[in-house]
Amino acid sequence: MNKEKPLISVEEATSVILSEVEDFGIEEVFFHQALGRVLKEDIKADRKMPPFDRVSMDGIALNYAVFEAGKRQFNIEGVQAAGREQLTLIKPDNCLEAMTGAMLPLGTDAVIPYELISIENNIAKVNIDSIKYFQNIHKQGIDRKKNETLISRNSKLSSAEIGVLATVGKTKVKVAKLPSIAIISTGDELVEVDQVPQAYQIRKSNVHSLVTLLSGSGLHADSYHLPDDKATLKQKIKTYLEAYDVLMFSGAVSKGKFDYLPEILDELDVKKLFHKVQQRPGKPFWFGKKGKTTVFAYPGNPVSTYVSCLKYFFPWLNSSLKMKTEPHDFAVLDKDFIFKPELTYFLQVKLKNEMGLIVASPIAGNGSGDLANLAQNDAFLELPSNRSKFNKGEVFPIIHYRF
Ligand code: AMP
Ligand code: MG
């Protein structure tokens, strides 16, 4: 009897994929180009932060003890501007005007803002009776010590970190190299976007959603299209296997007469690590490896391809790059949902934020071919395979695609 092997679960598939991570090495890039990349060195403070006692309000700098002793009127000795060398208050009874960003003048230890004083004939009169020692001064080294780590290795760099790189003078920074990626769609029914399809044809869409899904995350991918022809598939895929770190296929892994991919990958000595996962959409997903090249072969239905790339490729990449990741997001289901098959279901949902809670409304659509439905939604909710009723108010992990 031709009994099929039981499918592996989404959890098993994930763990197989995460045990097949690769190291693509390290490169040095100009710090602007480091946006979205994974840092491969610790970034340390090259000086104390702030590097000097920094005046943090425009006003006058004076001696606290003199004010405490009761003095309220101060002759102005001069102006301490930002970007100028440190001045010294010559007579403790006097004051200096001092600007935000300037070094605190020597001999002063409190700053009173202009709003609380009046100045006449070069005399500053303070209109309040109480001040604090060291007020309105951003103390040297209070944020970070010299050589303290500001951003640690394996962090993903956002614009916040780019500012930190700038402040410590890192014009070049070490980041994880990214894999070379090819996205390969298959199918004789597919025509180019700028063509008018015949009645029996459709325009290619998967390759475009995948290429841009990747480019939105800072990844470049080359793209190709192959016909449902064994010889061509074999000859082309052989060259791609040699040229790329990652091959992502869409189509030709199911049971159709022209779904040649599993057979051809086998003939090309790509080791199959699994084929078919207990999930919908995307059940015929095929995953394997040849040398250092990792092969993700998604079924061609647009929603299957899309969700499989989100669910499997990105975690594999992040893990390969050893990126520090945030804990998973969860959303609250806003109505009961039933899905009977014993499969993990990636439910399409619209998300909204209700008082800080992420709420998901299911808009399931018409299955894995309904790519128009993706545009109506925001994310997938991952519903576990071991149950069929999912209740309003329960929370489930979110797979985002709008970032
Ligand atoms: P397959 O996995 O090759 O059997 O394809 C499943 C379904 O997805 C078929 O209806 C294909 O026409 C469709 N499909 C496959 N590849 C693409 C693609 N690149 N863009 C849009 N639809 C596709
Ligand atoms: Mg096909």
Side-chain angles (χ1 to χ4, degrees), residues 185-186 189-190 202-206 250-252 254 259 299-302:
S185 61
T186 62
E189 73 280 32
L190 300 162
I202 58 167
R203 292 192 186 91
K204 294 175 198 172
S205 62
N206 289 350
S250 96
S254 308
D259 291 340
N301 267 308

Side-chain angles (χ1 to χ4, degrees), residues 70-364:
K71 193 167 168 63
R72 294 292 179 267
Q73 296 199 14
F74 301 85
N75 287 326
I76 300 172
E77 279 186 9
V79 178
Q80 173 75 67
R84 292 279 179 273
E85 282 192 31
Q86 186 180 34
L87 299 178
T88 301
L89 186 67
I90 296 161
K91 281 184 68 191
D93 274 3
N94 291 346
C95 72
L96 282 156
E97 289 182 70
M99 303 304 128
T100 303
M103 282 184 102
L104 182 72
L106 269 179
T108 71
D109 47 23
V111 172
I112 305 175
Y114 280 128
E115 291 82 342
L116 302 175
I117 62 172
S118 38
I119 297 179
E120 232 173 281
N121 299 327
N122 211 39
I123 296 168
K125 193 173 149 226
V126 179
N127 300 323
I128 47 168
D129 270 327
S130 131
I131 64 169
K132 289 195 185 111
Y133 178 65
F134 242 72
Q135 70 173 34
N136 301 318
I137 298 158
H138 190 184
K139 196 168 170 30
Q140 182 186 46
I142 194 168
D143 297 345
R144 297 291 183 274
K145 299 185 198 69
K146 183 174 174 175
N147 288 326
E148 198 174 330
T149 298
L150 305 177
I151 318 171
S152 54
R153 193 185 161 92
N154 295 328
S155 304
K156 185 174 178 178
L157 298 170
S158 74
S159 48
E161 283 80 21
I162 302 296
V164 175
L165 293 174
T167 210
V168 300
K170 285 288 286 184
T171 51
K172 282 190 164 178
V173 61
K174 290 194 176 73
V175 294
K177 259 197 199 163
L178 299 172
S180 55
I181 304 171
I183 295 174
I184 307 142
S185 61
T186 62
D188 288 348
E189 73 280 32
L190 300 162
V191 300
E192 294 299 332
V193 178
D194 57 3
Q195 287 177 18
V196 179
Q198 299 292 337
Y200 49 86
Q201 294 176 321
I202 58 167
R203 292 192 186 91
K204 294 175 198 172
S205 62
N206 289 350
V207 80
H208 300 287
S209 39
L210 288 196
V211 163
T212 52
L213 181 62
L214 266 53
S215 67
S217 298
L219 295 160
H220 170 78
D222 290 339
S223 58
Y224 303 97
H225 184 79
L226 298 178
D228 290 323
D229 171 74
K230 249 179 156 175
T232 316
L233 281 165
K234 189 163 175 181
Q235 182 224 330
K236 292 287 186 187
I237 295 172
K238 187 170 189 292
T239 64
Y240 303 150
L241 280 167
E242 281 157 17
Y244 292 96
D245 297 315
V246 176
L247 302 188
M248 267 195 253
F249 290 93
S250 96
V253 289
S254 308
K255 283 193 171 153
K257 272 230 150 63
F258 307 98
D259 291 340
Y260 295 129
L261 216 48
E263 187 184 328
I264 283 165
L265 291 169
D266 181 53
E267 285 172 22
L268 291 170
D269 294 325
V270 184
K271 187 170 168 228
K272 178 178 88 176
L273 293 162
F274 60 78
H275 185 193
K276 296 186 185 153
V277 183
Q278 270 172 33
Q279 64 178 29
R280 185 177 295 166
K283 189 162 122 185
F285 175 34
W286 190 106
F287 177 76
K289 193 120 196 182
K290 180 169 187 180
K292 282 176 72 69
T293 302
T294 309
V295 179
F296 296 81
Y298 314 125
N301 267 308
V303 185
S304 309
T305 290
Y306 199 57
V307 74
S308 301
C309 180
L310 290 162
K311 169 72 187 167
Y312 299 107
F313 168 72
F314 284 101
W316 172 86
L317 178 71
N318 294 342
S319 193
S320 289
L321 305 179
K322 299 191 175 66
M323 188 178 98
K324 286 187 190 150
T325 44
E326 298 295 319
H328 220 291
D329 261 357
F330 288 82
V332 186
L333 202 55
D334 79 346
K335 58 164 94 89
D336 292 351
F337 186 79
I338 291 179
F339 180 75
K340 290 206 173 125
E342 225 178 283
L343 302 168
T344 296
Y345 188 56
F346 299 112
L347 170 67
Q348 292 184 58
V349 291
K350 185 104 199 127
L351 299 178
K352 57 181 182 251
N353 193 311
E354 282 180 4
M355 311 274 281
L357 210 61
I358 308 174
V359 174
S361 310
I363 306 179

